[in-house]
Coordinates of all heavy atoms in Angstrom, one line a residue:
E187 N 26.9 7.0 -30.6 CA 25.5 6.8 -30.9 C 24.9 5.8 -30.0 O 23.8 6.0 -29.4 CB 25.3 6.3 -32.3 CG 23.9 5.9 -32.7 CD 23.7 5.3 -34.1 OE1 24.7 5.2 -34.8 OE2 22.6 4.7 -34.3
Y188 N 25.6 4.7 -29.7 CA 25.0 3.7 -28.9 C 25.1 4.0 -27.4 O 24.3 3.6 -26.6 CB 25.7 2.3 -29.1 CG 25.4 1.7 -30.5 CD1 26.4 1.2 -31.2 CD2 24.1 1.7 -30.9 CE1 26.1 0.6 -32.4 CE2 23.8 1.2 -32.1 CZ 24.8 0.6 -32.9 OH 24.5 0.0 -34.1
V189 N 26.2 4.7 -27.0 CA 26.3 5.1 -25.6 C 25.3 6.0 -25.2 O 24.8 6.0 -24.1 CB 27.8 5.5 -25.2 CG1 27.8 6.1 -23.9 CG2 28.7 4.4 -25.4
D190 N 25.0 7.0 -26.0 CA 24.0 8.0 -25.7 C 23.0 8.2 -26.9 O 23.0 9.2 -27.5 CB 24.6 9.3 -25.3 CG 23.7 10.4 -24.8 OD1 22.6 10.0 -24.5 OD2 24.1 11.6 -24.8
P191 N 22.2 7.2 -27.1 CA 21.3 7.2 -28.3 C 20.1 8.2 -28.2 O 19.5 8.6 -29.1 CB 20.8 5.8 -28.4 CG 20.8 5.3 -27.0 CD 22.0 5.9 -26.4
I192 N 19.9 8.7 -26.9 CA 18.8 9.6 -26.8 C 19.4 11.0 -26.7 O 19.9 11.4 -25.7 CB 18.0 9.2 -25.4 CG1 17.5 7.8 -25.5 CG2 16.7 10.2 -25.3 CD1 16.8 7.4 -24.3
K193 N 19.2 11.7 -27.7 CA 19.8 13.1 -27.8 C 18.8 14.1 -27.2 O 17.6 14.1 -27.5 CB 20.2 13.4 -29.2 CG 21.1 12.5 -29.9 CD 22.4 12.4 -29.1 CE 23.4 11.4 -29.8 NZ 24.7 11.3 -29.2
R194 N 19.4 15.0 -26.3 CA 18.5 16.0 -25.8 C 19.0 17.4 -26.3 O 20.2 17.6 -26.2 CB 18.5 16.1 -24.3 CG 18.0 14.7 -23.7 CD 16.4 14.7 -23.8 NE 15.9 13.5 -23.3 CZ 15.5 12.5 -24.1 NH1 15.6 12.5 -25.4 NH2 15.0 11.4 -23.6
V195 N 18.2 18.3 -26.8 CA 18.6 19.5 -27.4 C 18.8 20.5 -26.3 O 17.8 20.8 -25.6 CB 17.6 20.0 -28.5 CG1 18.0 21.3 -29.0 CG2 17.5 19.0 -29.6
K196 N 19.9 21.1 -26.1 CA 20.2 21.9 -25.0 C 19.9 23.4 -25.5 O 19.4 24.3 -24.7 CB 21.7 21.9 -24.6 CG 22.0 20.6 -23.9 CD 23.5 20.7 -23.4 CE 23.8 19.4 -22.7 NZ 25.2 19.4 -22.2
S197 N 20.2 23.7 -26.7 CA 19.9 25.1 -27.3 C 19.2 25.0 -28.6 O 19.6 24.1 -29.5 CB 21.2 25.9 -27.5 OG 21.9 26.1 -26.3
L198 N 18.2 25.6 -28.9 CA 17.4 25.5 -30.1 C 17.2 26.9 -30.7 O 16.6 27.8 -30.1 CB 16.0 24.9 -29.8 CG 15.1 24.8 -31.0 CD1 15.7 23.8 -32.0 CD2 13.6 24.3 -30.6
Y199 N 17.8 27.1 -31.8 CA 17.6 28.4 -32.5 C 16.8 28.2 -33.8 O 17.1 27.5 -34.8 CB 19.0 28.9 -32.9 CG 19.9 29.2 -31.8 CD1 20.8 28.1 -31.4 CD2 19.8 30.3 -31.0 CE1 21.7 28.3 -30.3 CE2 20.7 30.5 -30.0 CZ 21.6 29.5 -29.6 OH 22.4 29.8 -28.5
L200 N 15.7 29.0 -33.8 CA 14.8 28.9 -34.9 C 15.3 29.9 -36.0 O 15.0 29.6 -37.3 CB 13.3 29.2 -34.5 CG 12.8 28.2 -33.6 CD1 11.3 28.7 -33.2 CD2 12.7 26.7 -34.1
V201 N 15.9 30.9 -35.7 CA 16.6 31.8 -36.7 C 17.9 32.2 -36.1 O 18.2 32.0 -35.0 CB 15.6 33.1 -36.8 CG1 14.3 32.8 -37.4 CG2 15.5 33.8 -35.4
Q202 N 18.7 32.7 -37.0 CA 20.1 33.1 -36.6 C 20.0 34.5 -36.1 O 19.1 35.3 -36.3 CB 21.0 33.2 -37.9 CG 21.2 31.8 -38.4 CD 22.2 31.8 -39.6 OE1 22.6 33.0 -40.1 NE2 22.6 30.7 -40.1
E203 N 21.0 34.8 -35.2 CA 21.0 36.1 -34.5 C 21.0 37.3 -35.5 O 20.4 38.3 -35.3 CB 22.1 36.2 -33.6 CG 22.0 35.3 -32.3 CD 23.1 35.6 -31.3 OE1 24.0 36.4 -31.7 OE2 23.2 34.9 -30.3
K204 N 21.7 37.1 -36.7 CA 21.8 38.2 -37.6 C 20.4 38.6 -38.2 O 20.2 39.6 -38.8 CB 22.8 37.8 -38.7 CG 22.4 36.7 -39.5 CD 23.5 36.4 -40.6 CE 23.1 35.2 -41.4 NZ 21.9 35.4 -42.3
D205 N 19.5 37.6 -38.1 CA 18.2 37.8 -38.7 C 17.2 38.5 -37.7 O 16.0 38.8 -38.2 CB 17.6 36.5 -39.2 CG 18.4 35.9 -40.4 OD1 18.9 36.7 -41.2 OD2 18.5 34.6 -40.4
L206 N 17.6 38.7 -36.5 CA 16.7 39.3 -35.5 C 16.8 40.8 -35.5 O 17.9 41.4 -35.8 CB 17.1 38.8 -34.1 CG 16.8 37.3 -33.9 CD1 17.3 37.0 -32.4 CD2 15.2 37.0 -33.8
C207 N 15.7 41.5 -35.3 CA 15.7 42.9 -35.1 C 16.5 43.3 -33.8 O 16.6 42.4 -33.0 CB 14.3 43.5 -35.1 SG 13.4 43.1 -33.7
S208 N 16.9 44.5 -33.7 CA 17.8 44.8 -32.6 C 17.0 44.7 -31.2 O 17.6 44.2 -30.3 CB 18.2 46.3 -32.7 OG 17.0 47.2 -32.8
S209 N 15.8 45.0 -31.1 CA 15.0 44.8 -29.9 C 14.8 43.4 -29.6 O 15.0 42.9 -28.4 CB 13.7 45.5 -30.0 OG 12.9 44.9 -31.0
C210 N 14.6 42.5 -30.5 CA 14.4 41.1 -30.3 C 15.7 40.5 -29.8 O 15.8 39.6 -28.9 CB 13.8 40.4 -31.5 SG 12.2 40.8 -31.9
L211 N 16.8 40.9 -30.5 CA 18.1 40.4 -30.2 C 18.5 40.8 -28.8 O 19.0 39.9 -28.0 CB 19.1 40.9 -31.2 CG 20.6 40.6 -30.9 CD1 20.8 39.0 -30.9 CD2 21.5 41.1 -31.9
T212 N 18.2 42.0 -28.4 CA 18.5 42.5 -27.0 C 17.7 41.7 -26.0 O 18.3 41.2 -24.9 CB 18.1 43.9 -26.9 OG1 18.9 44.7 -27.8 CG2 18.4 44.4 -25.5
T213 N 16.5 41.4 -26.3 CA 15.5 40.5 -25.3 C 16.1 39.2 -25.2 O 16.2 38.6 -24.0 CB 14.1 40.5 -25.9 OG1 13.6 41.8 -26.0 CG2 13.3 39.7 -24.9
C214 N 16.5 38.6 -26.3 CA 17.1 37.2 -26.3 C 18.3 37.1 -25.4 O 18.6 36.3 -24.6 CB 17.3 36.7 -27.6 SG 15.8 36.3 -28.5
Q215 N 19.2 38.1 -25.7 CA 20.5 38.2 -25.0 C 20.3 38.4 -23.4 O 21.0 37.8 -22.7 CB 21.4 39.3 -25.5 CG 21.9 39.0 -26.9 CD 22.6 40.2 -27.5 OE1 22.4 41.3 -27.1 NE2 23.5 39.8 -28.5
E216 N 19.3 39.2 -23.1 CA 19.1 39.5 -21.7 C 18.6 38.2 -21.0 O 18.9 37.9 -19.8 CB 18.0 40.6 -21.5 CG 18.5 42.0 -21.8 CD 17.4 43.0 -21.8 OE1 16.2 42.6 -21.7 OE2 17.8 44.3 -21.9
E217 N 17.7 37.4 -21.7 CA 17.1 36.2 -21.1 C 18.3 35.2 -21.0 O 18.3 34.5 -20.0 CB 16.1 35.7 -22.0 CG 14.8 36.5 -22.0 CD 14.2 36.6 -20.7 OE1 14.1 35.5 -19.9 OE2 13.6 37.6 -20.3
R218 N 19.1 35.1 -21.9 CA 20.3 34.2 -21.8 C 21.2 34.6 -20.8 O 21.7 33.7 -20.0 CB 21.0 34.3 -23.2 CG 22.2 33.2 -23.3 CD 22.7 33.2 -24.6 NE 23.2 34.5 -25.1 CZ 23.5 34.7 -26.4 NH1 23.4 33.8 -27.3 NH2 23.9 35.9 -26.8
D219 N 21.4 35.9 -20.5 CA 22.2 36.3 -19.4 C 21.6 35.9 -18.0 O 22.4 35.6 -17.1 CB 22.5 37.9 -19.5 CG 23.4 38.3 -20.6 OD1 24.1 37.4 -21.1 OD2 23.3 39.4 -21.0
K220 N 20.3 36.1 -17.9 CA 19.6 35.7 -16.8 C 19.8 34.3 -16.4 O 20.0 33.8 -15.3 CB 18.1 36.1 -16.9 CG 17.8 37.5 -16.8 CD 16.2 37.7 -16.9 CE 15.9 39.2 -17.0 NZ 14.4 39.4 -17.1
L221 N 19.7 33.4 -17.5 CA 19.8 32.0 -17.3 C 21.2 31.7 -16.9 O 21.5 30.8 -16.0 CB 19.6 31.2 -18.6 CG 19.7 29.8 -18.7 CD1 18.6 29.2 -17.6 CD2 19.4 29.2 -20.1
H222 N 22.3 32.3 -17.4 CA 23.6 32.1 -17.0 C 23.8 32.5 -15.5 O 24.6 31.8 -14.8 CB 24.6 32.8 -17.9 CG 24.7 32.3 -19.3 ND1 25.2 33.0 -20.4 CD2 24.3 31.1 -19.8 CE1 25.2 32.2 -21.4 NE2 24.6 31.1 -21.2
K223 N 23.3 33.6 -15.1 CA 23.4 34.1 -13.8 C 22.7 33.1 -12.8 O 23.3 32.8 -11.7 CB 22.8 35.5 -13.6 CG 23.6 36.6 -14.3 CD 22.9 37.9 -14.0 CE 23.7 39.0 -14.7 NZ 23.1 40.3 -14.6
F224 N 21.6 32.6 -13.3 CA 20.9 31.6 -12.4 C 21.8 30.3 -12.2 O 21.9 29.8 -11.1 CB 19.6 31.3 -12.9 CG 18.8 30.2 -12.3 CD1 18.1 30.4 -11.0 CD2 18.8 28.9 -12.7 CE1 17.5 29.4 -10.4 CE2 18.1 27.9 -12.1 CZ 17.4 28.2 -11.0
K225 N 22.4 29.8 -13.2 CA 23.2 28.7 -13.2 C 24.4 28.9 -12.2 O 24.8 28.1 -11.5 CB 23.6 28.3 -14.6 CG 22.6 27.7 -15.4 CD 23.1 27.2 -16.8 CE 22.0 26.5 -17.6 NZ 22.5 26.1 -18.9
N226 N 25.0 30.1 -12.4 CA 26.2 30.4 -11.7 C 25.8 30.6 -10.1 O 26.7 30.4 -9.3 CB 26.9 31.7 -12.1 CG 27.4 31.6 -13.5 OD1 27.9 30.4 -14.0 ND2 27.6 32.5 -14.3
A227 N 24.7 30.9 -9.9 CA 24.2 31.1 -8.5 C 23.9 29.9 -7.8 O 23.7 29.8 -6.6 CB 23.0 32.1 -8.4
M228 N 23.7 28.8 -8.5 CA 23.4 27.5 -8.0 C 24.5 26.9 -7.1 O 25.7 27.2 -7.4 CB 23.2 26.4 -9.1 CG 22.0 26.8 -10.1 SD 20.5 26.1 -9.4 CE 20.7 24.4 -9.5
P229 N 24.1 26.5 -5.9 CA 25.2 26.0 -4.9 C 25.9 24.8 -5.5 O 25.3 24.0 -6.3 CB 24.3 25.5 -3.7 CG 23.0 25.2 -4.3 CD 22.8 26.2 -5.4
C230 N 27.2 24.8 -5.3 CA 28.1 23.7 -5.8 C 27.6 22.4 -5.1 O 27.4 22.3 -3.9 CB 29.6 23.9 -5.5 SG 30.1 25.4 -6.3
P231 N 27.6 21.3 -5.9 CA 27.3 20.0 -5.3 C 28.3 19.6 -4.4 O 29.6 19.9 -4.5 CB 27.2 19.1 -6.7 CG 28.1 19.8 -7.6 CD 27.9 21.2 -7.4
S232 N 27.9 18.7 -3.4 CA 28.9 18.2 -2.5 C 29.9 17.2 -3.1 O 29.6 16.8 -4.2 CB 28.2 17.4 -1.4 OG 27.5 16.3 -1.9
K233 N 31.0 17.0 -2.5 CA 32.0 16.2 -3.1 C 31.6 14.6 -3.1 O 32.1 13.9 -3.8 CB 33.3 16.3 -2.4 CG 34.0 17.7 -2.5 CD 35.2 17.8 -1.8 CE 35.9 19.2 -2.0 NZ 37.2 19.3 -1.4
K234 N 30.6 14.3 -2.3 CA 30.1 13.1 -2.1 C 29.4 12.7 -3.4 O 28.5 13.3 -3.9 CB 29.2 12.8 -1.0 CG 28.8 11.4 -0.7 CD 27.9 11.2 0.4 CE 27.4 9.8 0.6 NZ 26.6 9.7 1.8
L235 N 29.8 11.6 -4.1 CA 29.1 11.2 -5.3 C 27.7 10.8 -5.0 O 27.4 10.1 -4.1 CB 29.9 10.0 -6.0 CG 31.3 10.4 -6.5 CD1 32.0 9.1 -7.0 CD2 31.3 11.4 -7.5
S236 N 26.8 11.1 -6.0 CA 25.4 10.7 -5.9 C 25.1 10.2 -7.4 O 25.5 10.8 -8.3 CB 24.5 11.8 -5.6 OG 24.5 12.8 -6.4
F237 N 24.3 9.1 -7.5 CA 23.9 8.6 -8.7 C 22.4 8.6 -8.8 O 21.7 8.1 -8.0 CB 24.5 7.2 -8.8 CG 26.0 7.2 -8.8 CD1 26.5 6.9 -7.5 CD2 26.7 7.3 -9.9 CE1 27.9 6.8 -7.4 CE2 28.1 7.3 -9.8 CZ 28.7 7.0 -8.5
P238 N 21.9 9.0 -10.0 CA 20.4 9.1 -10.1 C 19.7 7.6 -10.3 O 20.3 6.9 -11.1 CB 20.3 9.8 -11.5 CG 21.5 9.6 -12.3 CD 22.6 9.5 -11.2
L239 N 18.8 7.4 -9.5 CA 18.1 6.1 -9.6 C 19.1 4.9 -9.4 O 20.0 4.9 -8.8 CB 17.2 6.1 -10.8 CG 16.2 7.3 -10.7 CD1 15.4 7.3 -12.0 CD2 15.2 7.2 -9.6
L240 N 18.7 3.9 -10.2 CA 19.6 2.7 -10.3 C 20.2 2.4 -11.6 O 20.4 1.3 -12.1 CB 18.7 1.5 -9.8 CG 18.5 1.5 -8.3 CD1 17.7 0.3 -7.9 CD2 19.8 1.4 -7.5
L241 N 20.6 3.4 -12.4 CA 21.2 3.3 -13.7 C 22.7 3.3 -13.6 O 23.4 3.4 -14.5 CB 20.7 4.3 -14.6 CG 19.1 4.3 -14.8 CD1 18.8 5.3 -16.0 CD2 18.8 2.9 -15.2
T242 N 23.3 3.2 -12.4 CA 24.6 3.2 -12.1 C 25.0 1.9 -11.4 O 24.1 1.2 -10.8 CB 25.1 4.3 -11.2 OG1 24.2 4.5 -10.1 CG2 25.0 5.6 -12.0
P243 N 26.2 1.4 -11.4 CA 26.7 0.2 -10.8 C 26.2 0.1 -9.3 O 26.2 1.0 -8.6 CB 28.2 0.2 -11.0 CG 28.5 1.0 -12.1 CD 27.4 2.1 -12.2
N244 N 25.7 -1.1 -9.0 CA 25.0 -1.2 -7.7 C 26.0 -1.2 -6.5 O 25.6 -1.2 -5.4 CB 24.3 -2.5 -7.7 CG 23.0 -2.4 -8.5 OD1 22.1 -1.7 -8.1 ND2 22.9 -3.0 -9.7
S245 N 27.3 -1.3 -6.8 CA 28.2 -1.2 -5.7 C 28.1 0.3 -5.1 O 28.6 0.4 -4.0 CB 29.7 -1.4 -6.2 OG 30.0 -0.5 -7.2
T246 N 27.5 1.2 -5.8 CA 27.3 2.5 -5.2 C 25.9 2.8 -4.8 O 25.7 3.9 -4.4 CB 27.8 3.5 -6.3 OG1 26.9 3.4 -7.5 CG2 29.2 3.4 -6.7
A247 N 25.1 1.8 -4.9 CA 23.7 2.1 -4.5 C 23.5 2.4 -3.0 O 24.2 1.7 -2.1 CB 22.9 0.8 -4.8
I248 N 22.8 3.3 -2.7 CA 22.6 3.7 -1.3 C 21.6 2.8 -0.6 O 20.7 2.1 -1.3 CB 22.2 5.1 -1.2 CG1 20.8 5.4 -1.8 CG2 23.1 6.1 -1.7 CD1 20.2 6.8 -1.7
D249 N 21.6 2.6 0.6 CA 20.8 1.8 1.3 C 19.3 2.2 1.4 O 18.4 1.5 1.3 CB 21.3 1.5 2.8 CG 22.6 0.8 2.8 OD1 22.8 -0.1 1.8 OD2 23.4 0.9 3.7
N250 N 19.2 3.5 1.7 CA 17.8 4.0 1.9 C 17.2 4.3 0.5 O 17.6 5.3 0.0 CB 17.9 5.3 2.8 CG 16.5 5.8 3.0 OD1 15.5 5.3 2.5 ND2 16.3 7.0 3.8
Q251 N 16.3 3.6 0.1 CA 15.7 3.7 -1.3 C 14.4 4.4 -1.3 O 13.7 4.5 -2.2 CB 15.6 2.4 -2.0 CG 16.9 1.8 -2.2 CD 16.9 0.5 -2.9 OE1 15.9 0.2 -3.6 NE2 18.0 -0.4 -2.8
E252 N 13.9 4.9 -0.1 CA 12.6 5.6 0.0 C 12.5 6.7 -0.8 O 11.5 7.0 -1.5 CB 12.3 6.0 1.5 CG 12.2 4.8 2.4 CD 10.9 4.0 2.1 OE1 10.0 4.5 1.4 OE2 10.8 3.0 2.7
Q253 N 13.6 7.6 -1.0 CA 13.6 8.7 -1.8 C 13.4 8.4 -3.2 O 12.7 9.0 -4.0 CB 14.9 9.5 -1.5 CG 15.0 10.8 -2.3 CD 16.3 11.6 -2.1 OE1 17.1 11.1 -1.3 NE2 16.4 12.7 -2.7
W254 N 14.1 7.4 -3.7 CA 14.0 6.9 -5.1 C 12.6 6.5 -5.3 O 12.0 6.8 -6.4 CB 15.0 5.8 -5.4 CG 16.5 6.2 -5.4 CD1 16.9 7.4 -5.5 CD2 17.5 5.3 -5.3 NE1 18.2 7.5 -5.5 CE2 18.7 6.1 -5.2 CE3 17.7 4.0 -5.1 CZ2 20.0 5.5 -5.2 CZ3 19.0 3.5 -5.0 CH2 20.1 4.2 -5.0
R255 N 12.1 5.7 -4.3 CA 10.8 5.1 -4.5 C 9.7 6.1 -4.8 O 8.8 6.0 -5.7 CB 10.5 4.2 -3.3 CG 9.1 3.4 -3.5 CD 9.0 2.4 -2.3 NE 10.0 1.4 -2.4 CZ 11.0 1.5 -1.5 NH1 11.2 2.4 -0.7 NH2 11.9 0.6 -1.5
L256 N 9.7 7.1 -3.9 CA 8.7 8.2 -4.0 C 8.8 9.0 -5.3 O 7.8 9.3 -6.0 CB 8.9 9.2 -2.9 CG 8.4 8.6 -1.5 CD1 8.6 9.6 -0.4 CD2 7.0 8.2 -1.5

Side-chain angles (χ1 to χ4, degrees):
E187 173 188 351
Y188 289 136
V189 170
D190 187 15
I192 303 177
K193 302 300 182 182
R194 297 288 178 256
V195 178
K196 294 184 178 180
S197 299
L198 180 62
Y199 298 95
L200 298 180
V201 295
Q202 294 183 354
E203 289 187 359
K204 65 182 180 62
D205 296 324
L206 292 173
C207 66
S208 58
S209 61
C210 292
L211 179 59
T212 301
T213 300
C214 290
Q215 290 175 338
E216 288 176 351
E217 291 299 321
R218 185 170 56 190
D219 291 341
K220 288 180 182 179
L221 181 61
H222 288 163
K223 288 180 180 180
F224 175 76
K225 288 182 178 180
N226 293 333
M228 294 277 291
C230 295
S232 62
K233 294 183 179 180
K234 183 178 180 181
L235 294 176
S236 62
F237 299 93
L239 301 176
L240 285 177
L241 299 188
T242 49
N244 286 287
S245 60
T246 58
I248 61 176
D249 292 332
N250 185 1
Q251 299 182 15
E252 292 291 348
Q253 182 178 357
W254 291 340
R255 184 175 297 102
L256 287 178

